[in-house]
Amino acid sequence: MKKFNKLVIASHNKGKIAEIREMLAPFEIEFCSAAELNLPDVEETGTTFEENSRLKAITLAKASGLPCLADDSGLCVNALNGRPGVYSARYAPNRDFDKGMDLLLKEIAESGSTDRGAYFACVMSLAMPNEDCKVFEGRVEGQIAIEKSGSGGFGYDPVFIPDGYDKTFGHFSAEEKALVSHRGRAFAKLMEYLTSL
Ligand code: IMP
């Protein structure tokens, strides 16, 4: 499957780029990150994952003249009425996710709720330089752990236990996480679309 020669990953988040690179590895597509092309970080002005994902993909596809794959994702926690959601990156003080997870656990404790349900959402957008854009959404439901555990992955992985497992994403290998994660599921839909063309 080779629908285009080169693809830009519209993200400056190293954890996300690493996961997307790994998912793209089996396909014969040359890809590079926005940083490698000196493309700017796009300000996330939208209020939904889809809005931000489209915005990043279309802006950088136009700027680079190349097809562009963007991912907007985040963690939605029941006890916090869906927060931090689209603000997941900004929720962590100075983008320090160790502090971000401490804050999340503290806020859940203070909410008085016993509901530890949460989900990760990911909207991937594939935009062409002519602004044609397709979106693919993936979700994984789970629970917020009582405490941080595991050092794998990135962001909030050490506090998220996906349904059907008794360990946090912090204990998953990259391959294992891709099989169940929001990003893995969105990516599978993208691949299904590309192979149907
Ligand atoms: P954005 O999509 O660049 O706005 O960033 C989303 C933020 O959500 C990331 O910085 C992470 O903190 C969090 N996030 C998204 N996906 C994951 C994941 O797979 N594991 C852990 N945290 C994630």
Side-chain angles (χ1 to χ4, degrees):
M1 185 201 59
K2 190 165 184 175
K3 304 295 176 198
F4 24 71
N5 296 321
K6 197 164 181 180
L7 182 70
V8 180
I9 303 173
S11 179
H12 288 261
N13 177 320
K14 292 199 176 92
K16 267 191 206 176
I17 295 172
E19 286 192 6
I20 296 171
R21 274 186 191 278
E22 187 124 350
M23 290 174 194
L24 282 170
F27 304 97
E28 287 180 1
I29 301 172
E30 192 192 334
F31 50 87
C32 56
S33 70
E36 283 163 336
L37 291 183
N38 287 322
L39 294 168
D41 213 352
V42 179
E43 201 189 338
E44 296 180 4
T45 52
T47 55
T48 63
F49 294 115
E50 179 167 340
E51 254 184 280
N52 283 332
S53 177
R54 278 180 180 275
L55 180 68
K56 287 188 271 191
I58 293 172
T59 306
L60 295 187
K62 276 164 64 182
S64 65
L66 292 166
C68 197
L69 182 64
D71 156 322
D72 198 61
S73 48
L75 179 63
C76 304
V77 177
N78 293 351
L80 306 181
N81 299 317
R83 286 190 305 117
V86 289
Y87 303 104
S88 294
R90 286 162 273 183
Y91 178 81
N94 299 318
R95 306 268 163 133
D96 177 336
F97 290 98
D98 204 43
K99 291 199 177 115
M101 286 185 281
D102 289 342
L103 179 60
L104 190 82
L105 295 175
K106 181 169 164 275
E107 273 213 86
I108 294 173
E110 287 171 359
S111 74
S113 172
T114 52
D115 182 355
R116 301 199 73 87
Y119 66 88
F120 269 122
C122 170
V123 176
M124 279 193 177
S125 296
L126 178 64
M128 299 296 151
N130 68 1
E131 296 194 25
D132 179 36
C133 184
K134 296 271 181 297
V135 298
F136 309 90
E137 181 167 7
R139 264 189 197 200
V140 56
E141 304 274 348
Q143 301 282 316
I144 299 298
I146 299 294
E147 57 187 12
K148 296 176 276 191
S149 173
S151 55
F154 69 99
Y156 301 92
D157 278 344
V159 291
F160 185 80
I161 304 171
D163 283 351
Y165 293 82
D166 57 6
K167 61 182 182 182
T168 67
F169 268 162
H171 291 282
F172 279 55
S173 66
E175 299 77 33
E176 202 183 5
K177 184 179 168 191
L179 289 175
V180 291
S181 78
H182 48 315
R183 190 162 297 102
R185 287 174 176 166
F187 188 78
K189 289 183 187 169
L190 165 70
M191 285 300 133
E192 201 178 312
Y193 164 72
L194 287 177
T195 46
S196 75
L197 289 178

